[in-house]
Amino acid sequence: MSACVAMIGTVNRDRIITHGGAVREGLGGILYNVLSLAPYLSAKDLVLPIARLGAEDRERAVQLFRPYPWIDPSGLLADPAGTNETVLRYRTPDEREETLVEKIAPLGWEEIRPAAACDLVLVNLIWGKEITPALLRRLAGAGRARIVLDVQSLTLTFRAGPDRGYRNIPEWKEWAAPAHTVKGNEEEIRWLIGEGDSPFGGDIEEALHRLLDAGPRVAIATRGTRGFTIAWDGEGARRTASLPAIPVPPEECDDTTGCGDTFSSGYLLGMILGEKPLRAALLGSSLAALSCRTRGLRALARLGDPAALRAEAYRDFEG
């Protein structure tokens, strides 16, 4: 295995208030992607994160990368305005409200152009303003990379104060068309393709099929503790599957922050290994189940073997 993976997004300074009332602070954003994928790669691979953040937080991020010389920090750009700040207040283990303080500037073509040389590019819209559909299209046309688009905050409003609301994205087809895979949680997917300030009200399978009609090969809607639904085109047929999450007892689930990001990282790992979409998504679900048992970015170095967990938990679901 030899892979070059770029990860475009934002590094946040997070303040997390858990469902139980505990308060935790630290860096987040695409660092969850980088640091949950890196332990499964080696010196013959390359991970290239591309994001803006404050100079001091950049140094902290580089320190986190030190165990993995295959992470290239050159795409982390020091922004004189500082680092975006978020407060994540969990109402339940699966539901949270978010407050955003915007500080950084969007990325331009010169900043993201190095990603065009990679095999895989994750575009994780942590902030929602990192790039435009035109830049995404240009990136797709500039190289050979398969693009995984994680919807994340694209469907959130930018009003001040807590609990950013959802919004429709009229140009959603422009976002979806250049991507190999579009992934988001179910609510994000429904709002992405909804109309008239309302989410899409049909079956989630139909929503995913509409995304595939716009150009991607794979569409995934995660559903937290209820698992995920995936639709994909391949071998002359369109397929859909809904899979349960791996059960994790509440007393063992330490922190669900970043689980959506680690799902994406596991899915990317499956793509690197040459797996078909369903198996790659099952690997993502397995890595997410491992990550919720830990807390913090440094703990991502010792999550365990997601392939072994997949073989045990999903032995009846092969694809």
Side-chain angles (χ1 to χ4, degrees):
M1 179 181 70
S2 177
C4 174
V5 183
M7 296 180 169
I8 299 171
T10 297
V11 175
N12 288 335
R13 187 179 290 175
D14 288 337
R15 186 168 188 261
I16 300 166
I17 304 171
T18 70
H19 182 226
V23 178
R24 301 165 186 162
E25 297 183 349
L27 297 180
I30 64 165
L31 294 183
Y32 280 100
N33 296 115
V34 175
L35 293 168
S36 60
L37 179 63
Y40 304 102
L41 303 180
S42 68
K44 60 186 177 181
D45 303 307
L46 176 67
V47 179
L48 177 64
I50 300 175
R52 294 191 189 279
L53 70 168
E56 291 185 6
D57 289 329
R58 185 188 186 280
E59 291 306 310
R60 294 187 183 97
V62 170
Q63 290 298 317
L64 291 168
F65 296 165
R66 186 161 287 185
Y68 312 108
W70 46 93
I71 301 177
D72 177 358
S74 64
L76 289 185
L77 310 170
D79 193 309
T83 304
N84 275 9
E85 299 177 6
T86 60
V87 177
L88 306 175
R89 185 184 299 273
Y90 282 85
R91 294 187 291 257
T92 72
D94 286 339
E95 299 178 357
R96 71 190 187 195
E97 66 179 26
E98 179 176 332
T99 301
L100 170 66
V101 179
E102 301 177 79
K103 295 186 177 182
I104 63 172
L107 296 163
W109 173 245
E110 290 304 315
E111 286 84 8
I112 71 170
R113 183 168 60 175
C118 288
D119 308 298
L120 290 170
V121 179
L122 172 68
V123 178
N124 190 352
L125 299 175
I126 299 284
W127 175 29
K129 296 182 180 179
E130 287 88 346
I131 64 172
T132 64
L135 276 181
L136 185 66
R137 184 170 60 251
R138 186 174 181 181
L139 178 62
R144 65 180 187 276
R146 291 177 291 171
I147 295 173
V148 176
L149 175 66
D150 195 333
V151 174
Q152 284 268 22
S153 295
L154 178 63
T155 56
L156 293 181
T157 61
F158 294 93
R159 63 175 179 245
D163 202 10
R164 296 171 66 187
Y166 280 98
R167 60 177 183 150
N168 300 134
I169 306 299
E171 67 276 18
W172 67 266
K173 291 182 181 179
E174 297 178 45
W175 281 103
H180 172 277
T181 300
V182 175
K183 175 250 176 187
N185 67 38
E186 181 173 352
E187 199 164 17
E188 292 162 355
I189 295 295
R190 289 185 180 279
W191 278 96
L192 178 70
I193 69 169
E195 297 179 347
D197 295 325
S198 297
F200 176 75
D203 292 339
I204 191 61
E205 293 86 351
E206 183 182 350
L208 297 180
H209 288 180
R210 291 192 181 192
L211 281 169
L212 295 184
D213 289 341
R217 298 285 303 279
V218 183
I220 302 171
T222 58
R223 295 179 286 120
T225 56
R226 296 178 291 118
F228 68 94
T229 299
I230 179 172
W232 71 101
D233 286 331
E235 300 176 353
R238 177 166 292 182
R239 302 180 182 182
T240 306
S242 291
L243 286 303
I246 297 174
V248 179
E251 65 273 13
E252 296 181 18
C253 188
D254 196 28
D255 189 359
T256 59
T257 304
C259 283
D261 300 315
T262 54
F263 185 107
S264 296
S265 296
Y267 177 75
L268 287 170
L269 180 60
M271 294 180 73
I272 292 169
L273 295 171
E275 297 185 339
K276 294 181 180 180
L278 178 56
R279 282 187 58 79
L282 291 173
L283 196 62
S285 180
S286 301
L287 191 61
L290 291 170
S291 71
C292 90
R293 299 173 187 264
T294 65
R295 180 191 306 176
L297 291 170
R298 293 186 184 278
L300 297 175
R302 49 185 187 276
L303 292 182
D305 185 354
L309 179 58
R310 177 181 64 182
E312 175 186 353
Y314 291 117
R315 55 182 176 269
D316 295 329
F317 302 101
E318 295 294 331

